[in-house]
Amino acid sequence: MSEYDWPNRFREVYDAGTERYRKGERKPQRLFSKTELEFLASIGCSAQELFDFIDDLARYGEPTFE
């Protein structure tokens, strides 16, 4: 992955996590696959951090991905 590809990959991971959340998964470490967790770590984002954004969007309507 080049340094320019990570935003697209991040969006894919975010969307996948959002879908799993909608299906009932509420544990940050289980919301993402091993590969997704490795990717997040490589860009300095924890599972908990991204989970919090997804959870806040579902509960309060913000922040959006954008």
Side-chain angles (χ1 to χ4, degrees), residues 15-56:
D15 289 345
T18 299
E19 183 61 26
R20 292 179 196 120
Y21 184 96
R22 286 185 190 141
K23 291 181 178 179
E25 183 55 65
R26 298 295 188 269
K27 296 186 181 190
Q29 292 296 325
R30 294 180 57 192
L31 195 63
F32 306 103
S33 71
K34 181 181 177 193
T35 303
E36 291 166 340
L37 290 170
E38 290 170 355
F39 165 74
L40 291 175
S42 78
I43 62 167
C45 181
S46 71
Q48 183 66 55
E49 183 177 19
L50 190 51
F51 172 85
D52 289 344
F53 289 127
I54 291 169
D55 182 60
D56 285 351

Side-chain angles (χ1 to χ4, degrees), residues 4-22:
Y4 302 106
D5 294 337
W6 78 263
N8 293 330
R9 180 68 179 132
F10 184 74
R11 182 60 191 243
E12 292 170 2
V13 172
Y14 176 89
D15 289 345
T18 299
E19 183 61 26
R20 292 179 196 120
Y21 184 96
R22 286 185 190 141

